[in-house]
Amino acid sequence: VIRLLRLSRLLKVAKIQKLVEIFTQRIHSNLTLTALNILKVAIAIYLLIHIVSCGWYFVCDAGESSQSWVRQDDAIDETFLFLYTSSVYWTLTQIGFGNSALEPQNDAELMYSMGVGCLGLFVCSWLIGSIVILMTRLIHLQKEQREQRDQLRDFMCKHRISWPLRNRIWTFLQQIRKKAPKHALQESNIALMQHLPKAATLELRAEVFVPALTTHPFFSTYAVSKANKFAMHRLVEKNALQEVAFNPEHELFADGEDALFMYFVTSGEFLYCSGNQHMNALMATLTLPMDASRSSGQSKPRPSHKMISMTATTTGGGVSHQRTEDRVAMGAVGWQMLEEGFYTSTCRAGDWMCEPALWLRWLHLGWAVAKGHAEVVTLDVLLFQRTLQDSLPQAAKYAKLFLAYANRHRDSLDDVFNDVSHLRWMAQDTFEPPLKFDIAQCVPHKLSNVRSEWQPADRRAWNKVWSSVFREAQLCNRSAMIATLTADMKNDVVMVYQTIFSNVPFAWASEEERISHRLKIGFLKRFFITLAVCSVKFSQHDNSEAVRPWPYPLASTICHGGRMLLRLQGIRWQDFIAFLLFGSNVTEDDLDFDDRSPPSPIYVRRAATHGCRLVEHSTQILEQRARGKETLRHGHMGMDLPLGGLGNPAPMASGQYFVGPSGVPYKRRLASGNRQYCMNVQHGHLYLRADDYGTLCMSPLAVLAQTTESNQSWASRESIIERLTGLRQVARLSSMGLADLPGQGRGSTFGDLPVSRDPDLLQNDWEPIPRISSTGLLKDIIANSGVAEDSIDEESVEELRRLLGKELVLEYNSEGELRLRGRLVFLHLESRTEARSRVLVQTQSKAKPFGQDYGTGYMGGAPDGTMTTYQSATSSFMTPPSRSYTTEDMLRRGQQSENLGDRSFLMEDVMSEQCEDPRIVTMLSRVEEPWMTTVARYCQEVFNLCSAAISQIIESCHDEADEAYLCEVECPTSVAWYHKNACCGLPLSYKALRVKAVIGVVEEDHHIMGDLLCDSFSTTEMTNKLKGFGDCTTELGGFIIRQWQWLRSENAAEAEGFARPSIIQKLPNHLVENVAALLIGVEASAPLKEDCFGQSHSVDGRSKDLSAFGKRKWTDYRKGGMEVPASLGGIRATVDAAKFQLIQNIADQILSLEENSKEEIDFFKSILVNSDHGVKEFLAQRDLMEPADEIQSGRVIRHAGSMVDRYISNI
């Protein structure tokens, strides 16, 4: 039974048929396939004969009867081979081949013989049928060629063609047949392709055509880039790609024909011949987007396949000495053209022709002829342009680069354009943009001596400036979103500039109209000077305390639907608005107004959808949406603006309209010269909301939240070293009773370089040293202070210079001594319920270096089931430097590690270093960072809290302001361990602000705080250098794992920062007079008006898709992952009395110049294109204000005349 069951293994033989089918699908030759079929029939017949023979022997040998041929006397003594061959011969005779003497001797043999005879009948029929089918197929393959030969023979006989010509024709056809490829099959020749589903057909076509296209740098770079691949899919789907075969000496295209295709050679060779050495004049304009003449929808012609010649005229030219094989290789036509003086080149498989047709209006400049049998993939130019115009905006950039290259190489450009190095550079510049926003790309350029992007030339250029390249398909592509944001912000700069400095002549209807227009333009000029002087900040979350300096062009602050929230401190809002309108020389009458009677051209608005709110305990001003009756409150004002510039083309869908005064578009009447205004349309409206909060009593934490430390000056080597040396000499003389230290206390200076003190910190005699510009200067200062030379090394000094002004400050005292000082924030986070009160404490911290064969990022639950969060590599809390690991390396490692699933990178066999440093929540603050920003950023990045939770923590800190104090602490080993490695032997201390926040009091806190209220959890932060953490000596980066636990107060007494030190400084309250708020935004139209885009400013106040400048709003860019301002309180600035005085001084100096003079225009161009830090540096270079504290972007753009100079700082 077991043996019979084993016979079931023979069922696996059925798989052989499937394997044979898979194998035959890989065979391309019909002859080989036919031979394989014959072999398959022979093998099947032999297997059948073998099985039948074995059965015949088994029946005869297994029977009990002695009457059997196997048991006969003459067969008993025979060998096994004789018995097997006898059985096979008997089987053949049963099929019908031969005659055997073996006859059935018993009933079993007789019955078996009858069955085999019936089987032989069917086998013979199958064998004969298979042979007939195979022979018929061979005859059919030869029949078509025989009929074609007969037809050609009859044709030549009918017309009595001469015998010499007949011989040449037959010889030529025989050569073609010998050289003809065996497998020149195209998709159109295969009938079964029509039965495939669409998805399978598209996938098949993609595998056929994409390899041919990607031989070109544009398509190969596009294929591996992060650009949207939908355009390639559309090209395949719309049949823009076709495969065409050519016989020898057939023409691909001819000189002077309109170029309708680009050709990719896939097999064979083409000879390109050109007598023209000059570029065709019709290529001078771009065809993306195409003009109307080429997009008329006419039927597209196919490539011509004309046979030029079969013979070459033998001449006595200068190339007659060439070898015979050269003539054969070039072909008859190629040889003839070479003799006639044509320029020739050969295009082989992998080459392409006629690329200029994709980007330019192009006529062929020569002939292309097949040297032998060849195949090409054709790309339809019209379908390509229409597809990429809609699906691939990057193609327009490549087209511009190609046009620029073509203009530079007019004398050498032809159909065979294969300057691969330049093509690859252009493709990389198109599809591999930087993954970070570059403000330098937002600068409008000068195109020629008479054309500039600052001044659009015609209505077509203006329509481009008024529109946006934003597409919904770009939301999932970061590089495309950055490119879109950059292009839109360049247009923002142009729009704002033209609004202020439009140079179109305009005939004023009245003097009042002209004065009103000048006041509006003056308002905008002084407003942007205000933004340039004040530090413009933005937050990514509504009214969040985590703010950053404005990184985009200053012109974009008003161009994308956002609103600027100005905090006026020590200034009446009436004084500020009067200054924006009239300048510094205002009279008492100009200041005598309120929000119910503002000065013209500002008028009162009855309603608005946004307003301001004051948080009393923190005096923070928030932006909010008005609801119900709040929309009708007083304080809403507006002013109509001529957006786009007076007299410039307006973005009207119908008619030739231009921007009129107050934004009302008009048409020009050629006959009378008058203007026809479109009174139902108004485009451009400035919204103002004013709130006066009077005198406020600010808590100490509110004062500190608005106070930052600054080192306002650059210092030279001589000023610093001479100053410190002099102080030490005076100190030595004073110690001997020979001199005093007059005038060397607080508020001293380095010569004429002023220094400032940080009002946050304890009173002492230490003063900060101004910014140090180079590593060599810092090294000299440290060495001059008496530090041992072995403590000073190049790496530590370079690291210290990087930290100065960011996390550390270098200070000196009256005795010339130096020290380093940092800033910390202690957050006493208390969870208070009816049953108990607990404090959040870091109980343990552990460092794990990067491993060699595992990822470096992890997100998920800890082994004990507690919460684990992931600290991004871009966090400012954990970014000490390293020469081995950069931020980009960590980001790449983090992205790779996301594919690890649930596998943790924290392997037990990897070295780890534990640091025993129990402490309450301790945050390392930047030098210029207010404490609320530090707390908000830490809670967001480390604890992963939402905006509501962060706001509640900060509000609770203000409620518990009485518990806040300042103190001095030592370096926290688990927070700022890398500071120790960079101190170069200088003393290091920290000034800490301790604040307290109470959470978990109500049930709602548990919903917004999430896992923060778990009894214990852990957080993971990534760093690129672990050296100095505990006893860790590795130079590698790694992870810091912190264990957090909520402890009762008596158990948390030993934690650093929990107990109050003996020496502290309490923070007093402050009175601040005249706190006010101004909310300023630019809307598309005034209330109850329609703008030029067809959008209405209706009563419901519904938000529109487009901003007043035709761009998408910040919300759309936020969907694409861009770091842009939030919808509420996203853009902010503070103006105090000192800044207001500086703003007035700069405005008086600039606006006193001749109106629209070159100096004034260059000044505002530089302001509009720069970021917050860049514009500060620009003003400092103009000696209009002190240098900025820190230029994070490192790049300042300054407009000088008609050129744009870029200054790269050495920071």
Side-chain angles (χ1 to χ4, degrees):
V1 176
I2 295 176
R3 291 182 178 179
L4 291 176
L5 292 176
R6 289 178 179 176
L7 292 177
S8 61
R9 298 177 181 177
L10 296 177
L11 297 177
K12 295 181 179 180
V13 178
K15 295 182 179 180
I16 296 178
Q17 178 67 20
K18 185 178 296 185
L19 296 177
V20 171
E21 291 179 358
I22 296 175
F23 177 74
T24 54
Q25 289 175 2
R26 300 177 180 269
I27 299 176
H28 304 289
S29 173
N30 289 330
L31 181 61
T32 304
L33 191 61
T34 303
L36 181 63
N37 288 333
I38 295 174
L39 179 62
K40 184 170 63 175
V41 171
I43 293 175
I45 292 176
Y46 173 75
L47 290 177
L48 182 62
I49 292 173
H50 173 76
I51 294 173
V52 173
S53 301
C54 293
W56 169 249
Y57 180 82
F58 175 77
V59 170
C60 298
D61 185 57
E64 297 180 358
S65 174
S66 61
Q67 299 296 324
S68 173
W69 71 273
V70 178
R71 292 186 174 88
Q72 291 180 1
D73 295 338
D74 55 349
I76 292 177
D77 298 331
E78 296 295 337
T79 62
F80 176 79
L81 179 62
F82 175 81
L83 296 177
Y84 175 74
T85 54
S86 299
S87 299
V88 171
Y89 182 72
W90 178 85
T91 303
L92 290 174
T93 59
Q94 300 302 312
I95 297 176
F97 301 98
N99 186 17
S100 175
L102 298 177
E103 297 292 339
Q105 301 295 325
N106 50 48
D107 296 341
E109 293 179 359
L110 183 61
M111 294 178 62
Y112 187 80
S113 298
M114 294 173 58
V116 172
C118 296
L119 180 63
L121 178 63
F122 292 102
V123 171
C124 288
S125 302
W126 174 68
L127 179 61
I128 295 173
S130 299
I131 294 175
V132 169
I133 291 174
L134 293 175
M135 294 302 297
T136 303
R137 183 177 181 182
L138 292 176
I139 294 173
H140 180 73
L141 292 175
Q142 299 176 356
K143 178 182 178 181
E144 185 176 356
Q145 298 179 0
R146 187 169 58 253
E147 289 179 352
Q148 292 177 356
R149 289 196 300 268
D150 293 342
Q151 290 176 359
L152 180 59
R153 185 182 297 107
D154 294 342
F155 177 82
M156 290 189 292
C157 291
K158 177 181 178 182
H159 295 280
R160 299 179 182 180
I161 304 299
S162 63
W163 286 106
L165 181 57
R166 291 190 189 188
N167 291 334
R168 287 199 301 269
I169 292 175
W170 287 117
T171 303
F172 179 79
L173 293 177
Q174 288 176 0
Q175 292 177 354
I176 290 179
R177 186 165 58 252
K178 291 178 181 179
K179 298 179 181 179
K182 300 291 192 295
H183 322 295
L185 290 177
Q186 281 81 43
E187 179 184 347
S188 58
N189 300 331
I190 305 175
L192 290 178
M193 291 282 294
Q194 302 176 1
H195 302 287
L196 291 177
K198 183 178 180 180
T201 303
L202 292 178
E203 186 175 354
L204 187 147
R205 287 175 57 83
E207 292 195 8
V208 171
F209 296 122
V210 170
L213 261 66
T214 51
T215 59
H216 189 279
F218 174 82
F219 294 98
S220 61
T221 308
Y222 168 44
V224 299
S225 70
K226 296 183 179 181
N228 189 359
K229 303 304 185 294
F230 183 66
M232 188 76 77
H233 174 80
R234 291 288 300 276
L235 287 176
V236 176
E237 182 182 17
K238 290 187 174 183
N239 294 328
L241 298 162
Q242 297 293 337
E243 194 176 18
V244 184
F246 290 86
N247 289 324
E249 301 194 18
H250 276 64
E251 178 184 297
L252 182 62
F253 53 80
D255 184 28
E257 293 182 348
D258 192 12
L260 301 177
F261 299 90
M262 180 181 178
Y263 304 95
F264 299 86
V265 182
T266 56
S267 65
E269 294 182 353
F270 285 88
L271 183 70
Y272 176 75
C273 308
S274 173
N276 259 340
Q277 296 301 313
H278 299 285
M279 186 176 175
N280 193 296
L282 292 179
M283 56 73 61
T285 57
L286 285 172
T287 56
L288 276 180
M290 296 190 318
D291 55 1
S293 63
R294 299 197 63 183
S295 58
S296 57
Q298 298 176 357
S299 60
K300 54 182 181 181
R302 303 306 303 172
S304 58
H305 300 165
K306 295 185 291 184
M307 185 173 177
I308 303 177
S309 173
M310 298 178 302
T311 60
T313 303
T314 304
T315 64
V319 293
S320 59
H321 63 277
Q322 295 283 342
R323 295 178 300 174
T324 305
E325 52 267 26
D326 293 337
R327 299 176 72 110
V328 176
M330 295 182 66
V333 176
W335 182 259
Q336 181 179 1
M337 289 184 173
L338 183 62
E339 287 182 329
E340 295 177 1
F342 285 90
Y343 169 78
T344 61
S345 61
T346 302
C347 294
R348 300 177 175 84
D351 295 337
W352 56 86
M353 292 179 284
C354 307
E355 182 194 359
L358 298 180
W359 318 111
L360 315 170
R361 282 193 266 175
W362 188 258
L363 297 182
H364 292 298
L365 300 181
W367 295 264
V369 183
K371 296 174 63 174
H373 290 277
E375 294 182 4
V376 297
V377 171
T378 64
L379 175 58
D380 190 286
V381 170
L382 299 183
L383 290 177
F384 173 84
Q385 292 173 350
R386 294 170 186 169
T387 301
L388 267 67
Q389 182 178 354
D390 298 333
S391 306
L392 191 65
Q394 292 92 335
K397 180 179 180 180
Y398 184 89
K400 292 179 181 179
L401 295 174
F402 192 94
L403 176 61
Y405 179 90
N407 285 326
R408 293 193 303 268
H409 300 80
R410 284 178 175 270
D411 296 336
S412 60
L413 194 66
D414 55 17
D415 296 292
V416 184
F417 176 71
N418 55 0
D419 192 347
V420 180
S421 60
H422 279 83
L423 293 178
R424 185 176 296 110
W425 174 83
M426 291 189 294
Q428 291 175 352
D429 187 53
T430 301
F431 291 108
E432 298 180 5
L435 296 180
K436 294 182 180 180
F437 176 81
D438 184 6
I439 192 173
Q441 301 299 322
C442 298
V443 181
H445 297 290
K446 185 177 181 180
L447 303 178
S448 65
N449 292 332
V450 295
R451 294 182 57 197
S452 173
E453 289 180 327
W454 289 97
Q455 178 64 56
D458 49 23
R459 183 170 290 273
R460 179 180 179 183
W462 269 106
N463 289 337
K464 181 179 178 181
V465 173
W466 277 108
S467 62
S468 173
V469 296
F470 181 90
R471 300 291 184 272
E472 294 292 338
Q474 302 169 358
L475 292 177
C476 298
N477 189 323
R478 177 173 176 81
S479 61
M481 286 299 301
I482 293 177
T484 299
L485 187 65
T486 303
D488 284 352
M489 287 187 172
K490 178 187 283 189
N491 291 336
D492 295 343
V493 174
V494 175
M495 289 287 293
V496 175
Y497 168 77
Q498 284 294 322
T499 301
I500 299 176
F501 293 104
S502 174
N503 58 0
V504 178
F506 190 82
W508 298 100
S510 64
E511 181 65 16
E512 290 78 6
E513 187 179 53
R514 186 186 67 83
I515 294 176
S516 175
H517 177 76
R518 291 192 61 183
L519 290 176
K520 295 174 183 177
I521 300 304
F523 184 100
L524 291 178
K525 290 180 179 179
R526 296 181 186 92
F527 174 72
F528 278 103
I529 292 176
T530 300
L531 299 186
V533 173
C534 301
S535 297
V536 179
K537 308 289 185 181
F538 84 99
S539 63
Q540 296 180 246
H541 304 279
D542 290 347
N543 294 313
S544 173
E545 293 297 335
V547 295
R548 294 172 49 196
W550 182 255
Y552 306 115
L554 216 58
S556 298
T557 54
I558 62 173
C559 295
H560 295 274
R563 289 157 298 279
M564 169 64 66
L565 180 58
L566 287 176
R567 177 189 179 97
L568 306 180
Q569 199 159 290
I571 309 168
R572 296 172 60 243
W573 67 266
Q574 292 91 339
D575 298 340
F576 187 74
I577 288 183
F579 160 74
L580 294 180
L581 276 177
F582 309 113
S584 301
N585 300 322
V586 294
T587 63
E588 293 295 333
D589 295 337
D590 295 331
L591 299 175
D592 187 16
F593 66 90
D594 56 20
D595 53 8
R596 290 184 173 88
S597 58
S600 179
I602 301 176
Y603 57 86
V604 176
R605 283 182 49 164
R606 300 302 179 188
T609 58
H610 289 78
C612 300
R613 176 174 65 91
L614 177 70
V615 181
E616 295 183 359
H617 62 267
S618 64
T619 68
Q620 182 185 3
I621 300 176
L622 308 179
E623 181 185 355
Q624 64 179 3
R625 288 188 176 89
R627 305 291 183 186
K629 296 181 180 180
E630 294 181 357
T631 59
L632 303 177
R633 289 178 54 193
H634 61 82
H636 303 303
M637 296 170 286
M639 180 174 64
D640 297 334
L641 296 175
L643 280 191
L646 184 64
N648 288 324
M652 298 287 285
S654 61
Q656 299 293 317
Y657 283 92
F658 299 88
V659 178
S662 301
V664 178
Y666 67 89
K667 271 186 177 182
R668 295 171 180 169
R669 290 183 176 180
L670 299 180
S672 62
N674 297 330
R675 295 184 293 269
Q676 179 184 358
Y677 287 93
C678 184
M679 300 305 297
N680 62 327
V681 177
Q682 191 278 327
H683 194 89
H685 178 77
L686 183 75
Y687 165 72
L688 295 97
R689 163 74 189 185
D691 288 280
D692 192 350
Y693 302 109
T695 301
L696 299 178
C697 179
M698 298 181 64
S699 68
L701 292 182
V703 175
L704 291 181
Q706 301 176 20
T707 305
T708 58
E709 180 180 3
S710 62
N711 299 321
Q712 294 289 337
S713 305
W714 289 101
S716 65
R717 180 184 184 279
E718 292 75 13
S719 64
I720 297 179
I721 295 180
E722 290 177 4
R723 177 64 173 167
L724 295 177
T725 303
L727 287 175
R728 283 194 289 272
Q729 292 176 353
V730 172
R732 284 195 297 270
L733 294 175
S734 177
S735 63
M736 294 184 294
L738 300 178
D740 297 325
L741 297 175
Q744 306 301 329
R746 299 177 55 200
S748 60
T749 62
F750 285 98
D752 58 346
L753 299 176
V755 297
S756 60
R757 294 187 48 79
D758 180 10
D760 296 8
L761 305 178
L762 297 176
Q763 303 293 332
N764 52 45
D765 293 331
W766 292 90
E767 297 288 345
I769 290 180
R771 289 194 302 167
I772 298 174
S773 58
S774 66
T775 303
L777 173 57
L778 178 60
K779 187 175 181 180
D780 292 342
I781 294 173
I782 298 175
N784 184 264
S785 66
V787 176
E789 293 185 1
D790 56 355
S791 301
I792 307 174
D793 61 89
E794 293 292 339
E795 184 176 356
S796 298
V797 174
E798 176 63 29
E799 172 60 12
L800 178 59
R801 193 185 72 84
R802 192 191 73 88
L803 293 174
L804 288 179
K806 296 183 178 180
E807 297 178 4
L808 294 176
V809 175
L810 183 61
E811 297 179 330
Y812 78 103
N813 63 6
S814 58
E815 298 181 359
E817 299 174 340
L818 296 179
R819 76 169 185 182
L820 293 170
R821 194 244 313 146
R823 294 158 56 103
L824 297 175
V825 176
F826 285 136
L827 177 59
H828 180 104
L829 200 57
E830 182 175 334
S831 173
R832 187 181 301 170
T833 61
E834 297 180 357
R836 56 184 176 176
S837 176
R838 301 183 300 172
V839 179
L840 183 61
V841 176
Q842 171 191 303
T843 57
Q844 189 183 51
S845 58
K846 183 166 53 177
K848 283 189 177 287
F850 290 140
Q852 301 297 324
D853 55 354
Y854 55 86
T856 60
Y858 175 72
M859 180 182 294
D864 57 355
T866 57
M867 179 194 68
T868 302
T869 59
Y870 175 77
Q871 170 65 22
S872 171
T874 58
S875 170
S876 57
F877 296 103
M878 301 291 295
T879 54
S882 173
R883 297 184 183 272
S884 302
Y885 291 88
T886 63
T887 302
E888 289 76 9
D889 295 332
M890 293 192 295
L891 288 174
R892 183 176 65 254
R893 287 170 171 264
Q895 292 172 353
Q896 294 172 351
S897 65
E898 290 178 1
N899 300 324
L900 294 177
D902 294 332
R903 293 183 298 164
S904 172
F905 67 93
L906 302 177
M907 297 185 178
E908 296 300 331
D909 57 343
V910 180
M911 178 189 66
S912 62
E913 185 66 38
Q914 187 167 321
C915 180
E916 296 293 340
D917 184 26
R919 59 178 54 252
I920 63 175
V921 181
T922 306
M923 312 170 194
L924 184 63
S925 179
R926 290 179 176 270
V927 172
E928 292 186 310
E929 192 172 51
W931 72 268
M932 286 198 299
T933 303
T934 303
V935 172
R937 186 155 45 85
Y938 191 92
C939 292
Q940 178 182 343
E941 297 180 0
V942 177
F943 292 147
N944 198 23
L945 296 181
C946 62
S947 299
I950 296 173
S951 298
Q952 181 173 330
I953 291 176
I954 293 177
E955 290 180 7
S956 180
C957 291
H958 286 287
D959 294 336
E960 303 288 336
D962 294 339
E963 300 286 338
Y965 57 83
L966 291 167
C967 61
E968 186 170 346
V969 297
E970 296 180 352
C971 178
T973 56
S974 63
V975 177
W977 68 94
Y978 52 93
H979 286 179
K980 293 182 178 180
N981 301 328
C983 65
C984 298
L986 295 174
L988 176 62
S989 63
Y990 293 83
K991 302 300 181 181
L993 169 67
R994 184 194 186 269
V995 294
K996 180 179 180 180
V998 179
I999 61 175
V1001 179
V1002 295
E1003 185 65 27
E1004 287 75 8
D1005 290 355
H1006 295 269
H1007 297 288
I1008 63 173
M1009 295 297 173
D1011 295 330
L1012 181 65
L1013 293 177
C1014 293
D1015 291 341
S1016 64
F1017 59 90
S1018 63
T1019 59
T1020 303
E1021 304 164 7
M1022 183 159 55
T1023 177
N1024 58 352
K1025 195 168 186 180
L1026 289 175
K1027 185 177 180 180
F1029 185 89
D1031 297 329
C1032 191
T1033 58
T1034 179
E1035 295 290 341
L1036 297 176
F1039 296 87
I1040 305 297
I1041 302 96
R1042 305 185 190 277
Q1043 299 292 334
W1044 302 89
Q1045 190 171 359
W1046 289 94
L1047 302 176
R1048 292 182 178 272
S1049 299
E1050 56 270 18
N1051 298 330
E1054 299 298 327
E1056 178 71 20
F1058 179 82
R1060 175 173 296 192
S1062 57
I1063 302 176
I1064 65 170
Q1065 178 186 354
K1066 295 294 293 183
L1067 305 175
N1069 294 329
H1070 293 267
L1071 291 178
V1072 179
E1073 298 181 353
N1074 298 327
V1075 176
L1078 271 182
L1079 188 64
I1080 302 177
V1082 176
E1083 299 177 346
S1085 66
L1088 306 180
K1089 291 286 187 176
E1090 182 178 318
D1091 59 36
C1092 290
F1093 301 120
Q1095 305 173 131
S1096 297
H1097 193 156
S1098 56
V1099 179
D1100 57 6
R1102 185 177 303 172
S1103 178
K1104 305 177 182 64
D1105 294 332
L1106 296 178
S1107 69
F1109 295 84
K1111 308 300 183 291
R1112 301 300 287 262
K1113 296 188 175 181
W1114 295 122
T1115 304
D1116 296 317
Y1117 296 109
R1118 198 178 305 116
K1119 293 177 182 177
M1122 296 292 99
E1123 297 178 350
V1124 295
S1127 300
L1128 297 177
I1131 310 176
R1132 296 173 241 169
T1134 300
V1135 183
D1136 56 21
K1139 289 181 179 178
F1140 186 47
Q1141 184 61 47
L1142 180 59
I1143 292 169
Q1144 290 176 315
N1145 295 338
I1146 296 176
D1148 292 342
Q1149 181 177 344
I1150 299 300
L1151 300 185
S1152 63
L1153 301 171
E1154 182 182 353
E1155 187 175 5
N1156 293 349
S1157 63
K1158 182 178 180 297
E1159 292 78 5
E1160 183 187 22
I1161 289 176
D1162 291 343
F1163 174 83
F1164 279 99
K1165 281 183 177 180
S1166 299
I1167 282 182
L1168 295 177
V1169 301
N1170 267 299
S1171 64
D1172 177 69
H1173 285 292
V1175 78
K1176 297 293 191 304
E1177 190 71 8
F1178 166 73
L1179 294 177
Q1181 292 169 358
R1182 290 283 299 263
D1183 296 327
L1184 296 174
M1185 66 181 298
E1186 294 293 338
D1189 298 349
E1190 177 186 357
I1191 316 265
Q1192 292 183 357
S1193 62
R1195 177 171 294 184
V1196 180
I1197 303 166
R1198 182 172 183 172
H1199 193 277
S1202 60
M1203 301 296 292
V1204 175
D1205 301 328
R1206 299 174 184 176
Y1207 299 91
I1208 308 300
S1209 68
N1210 294 324
I1211 298 179

